[in-house]
Amino acid sequence: MQRVAFLVDRGGRRYPLDEPRWRGDDGSPLLVGPLPGITRDDIDTRVRSQWRYAAALPERFDRPVTLGEGCTPLLPLAVDGLELFVKPEWFNPTASFKDRGTSVMMSALSRQGVPAMLEDSSGNGGSSVAAYAAAAGIRATILAPESTSPAKIQQSRVHGATVELVPGSRQATADEAVRRSGETFYASHNWHPYFLQGTKLLAYEIWEDLDFVAPEAVVVPCGAGSLVLGLHAGFGELVASGAVDRRPRLLVAQPARCAPLVAAFEAGRDEVIAAEWTPTVAEGASIARPVRDREVLAAIRASRGAMSAVPEEAIGPAAFELAGRGLYAEPTSSIVLPAIRDFVARGELRAGATVVAVLTGTALKAADMMGRLFEER
């Protein structure tokens, strides 16, 4: 298989893959250039992790930094008579989908000889980076909002990362990380192009789960949009390789209290407009200025997808409804449930369609928030 040999910024400038770099010279985010995708014959079935799809990556890693991420179950779930599937991503090593991207990103940093790195996160990304940095022998500093769930902070610290809490919003934490990027290599899961190379492998896994058929739609929660972009890239490559004949529609949910992408999507804009948003229990989706806003909006539109802003008062009940079905999803993940109902009411989902909803993280890491929601209930 031919592999691409460059990264590319928004202006079209190319950069080599082996250069430690987190953004373009123009300040824009980087993507890996187009890849040809793989077919079922390229899957290494001897590997019981997402690295079974390693042939889809832009370069070969002889010693990947892996903790066994991927191969999460695909479970049936009925919502008001609509039969669909869910992927509970808390079966990953640090209990969120972030491990998919972190594994590939950290493999690239390790190969490039990066000794120390900086990350900003509202929780799951930070704990994932802390674990994989420990596995790679890379020193990690995690900046997190002071409102981050204590369990996520504790997990990062136990893995050996230095965690610093930043006052203010999630955006304030991201801004502080960028400010410090001149001191320590910034390997943000929202910026680094190889993170998306990991999240794209979820598309390959869903394809294999469904006996090598693409679903008609995938429903996901969204903050910065790395999962949206990963699915867009992965299914796009499957189309390019001829493994499937169409992309699934991307149906994307944000909490109404912080829904900049929904606002831009509904207004027909190509990028997010700065605005003040209110704190939400869906902390993992509370990103006021997504770095890759243009790319996320373009991906949803390219798939003929749709977006939904989930009311705050619907999030807690959704988490408890899923828990009542045995699925202990954190509030950020739980927004997919009311979003599914919204998409059905709007005619975006229909009975008989093959639909996969992604539950990105576990409520075990949001114990304090779940406790408060339980008391309010």
Side-chain angles (χ1 to χ4, degrees):
M1 166 185 133
Q2 287 187 334
R3 293 167 185 259
V4 74
F6 62 89
L7 302 172
V8 61
D9 64 23
R10 280 178 176 164
R13 180 171 180 175
R14 296 182 177 187
Y15 308 85
L17 288 176
D18 58 359
E19 179 182 343
R21 174 179 284 276
W22 60 275
R23 65 179 173 185
D25 288 344
D26 62 356
S28 70
L30 296 168
L31 290 171
V32 172
L35 286 167
I38 63 174
T39 66
R40 60 193 299 175
D41 293 335
D42 298 307
I43 299 172
D44 188 346
T45 55
R46 299 167 299 174
V47 178
R48 192 177 177 275
S49 77
Q50 71 172 11
W51 286 89
R52 65 199 283 116
Y53 314 112
L57 297 174
E59 59 179 310
R60 193 172 303 281
F61 294 98
D62 294 328
R63 295 182 178 178
V65 180
T66 177
L67 297 171
E69 56 290 327
C71 291
T72 61
L74 186 72
L75 306 176
L77 183 73
V79 179
D80 301 343
L82 178 70
E83 301 291 335
L84 50 83
F85 297 97
V86 293
K87 285 283 278 185
E89 287 290 283
W90 51 75
F91 281 85
N92 283 297
T94 74
S96 86
F97 87 95
K98 296 286 176 57
D99 294 344
R100 294 182 181 272
T102 305
S103 175
V104 178
M105 179 180 76
M106 207 63 69
S107 295
L109 297 184
S110 178
R111 183 169 180 161
Q112 292 165 358
V114 173
M117 49 84 67
L118 177 70
E119 155 78 321
D120 63 290
S121 170
S122 60
N124 281 326
S127 54
S128 179
V129 163
Y132 284 81
I138 294 173
R139 298 188 306 278
T141 298
I142 313 295
L143 304 185
E146 58 185 2
S147 60
T148 298
S149 295
K152 296 174 183 177
I153 295 170
Q154 176 177 287
Q155 184 180 12
S156 297
R157 285 176 170 155
V158 170
H159 282 307
T162 298
V163 180
E164 298 181 28
L165 301 182
V166 179
S169 67
R170 172 66 180 87
Q171 188 61 50
T173 300
D175 293 343
E176 174 65 10
V178 172
R179 188 187 68 78
R180 295 197 199 182
S181 63
E183 306 165 13
T184 305
F185 183 74
Y186 185 37
S188 163
H189 65 279
N190 291 327
W191 278 94
H192 201 283
Y194 267 85
F195 189 87
L196 300 180
Q197 289 296 300
T199 58
K200 83 175 184 184
L201 300 182
L202 178 57
Y204 284 97
E205 187 169 303
I206 290 171
W207 164 65
E208 186 178 8
D209 284 343
L210 295 174
D211 198 21
F212 304 103
V213 174
E216 293 177 56
V218 183
V219 186
V220 296
C222 176
S226 62
L227 189 53
V228 173
L229 291 175
L231 292 169
H232 174 72
F235 283 115
E237 290 173 14
L238 286 167
V239 172
S241 74
V244 301
D245 59 6
R246 55 169 174 75
R247 296 174 182 269
R249 300 183 69 210
L250 298 176
L251 303 180
V252 181
Q254 290 197 292
R257 285 188 175 180
C258 190
L261 290 164
V262 177
F265 186 85
E266 292 180 346
R269 296 194 300 267
D270 294 329
E271 60 186 352
V272 162
I273 290 179
E276 292 296 323
W277 297 95
T278 307
T280 171
V281 296
E283 63 179 2
S286 187
I287 309 292
R289 296 198 303 272
V291 168
R292 301 179 186 271
D293 55 345
R294 300 183 202 176
E295 292 79 7
V296 173
L297 291 165
I300 297 168
R301 289 174 175 138
S303 77
R304 299 171 294 105
M307 299 197 74
S308 175
V310 176
E312 191 73 8
E313 61 271 18
I315 300 175
F320 290 115
E321 182 177 348
L322 287 169
R325 307 283 290 276
L327 297 166
Y328 200 42
E330 67 177 335
T332 300
S333 298
S334 300
I335 65 174
V336 299
L337 184 58
I340 288 167
R341 292 187 167 117
D342 181 39
F343 290 133
V344 169
R346 290 158 47 190
E348 303 288 356
L349 284 177
R350 60 176 179 80
T354 303
V355 180
V356 176
V358 181
L359 299 176
T360 50
T362 176
L364 289 172
K365 295 169 73 174
D368 287 5
M369 180 68 71
M370 292 299 289
R372 289 196 295 272
L373 289 172
F374 189 79
E375 291 176 0
E376 293 171 3
R377 186 187 186 205

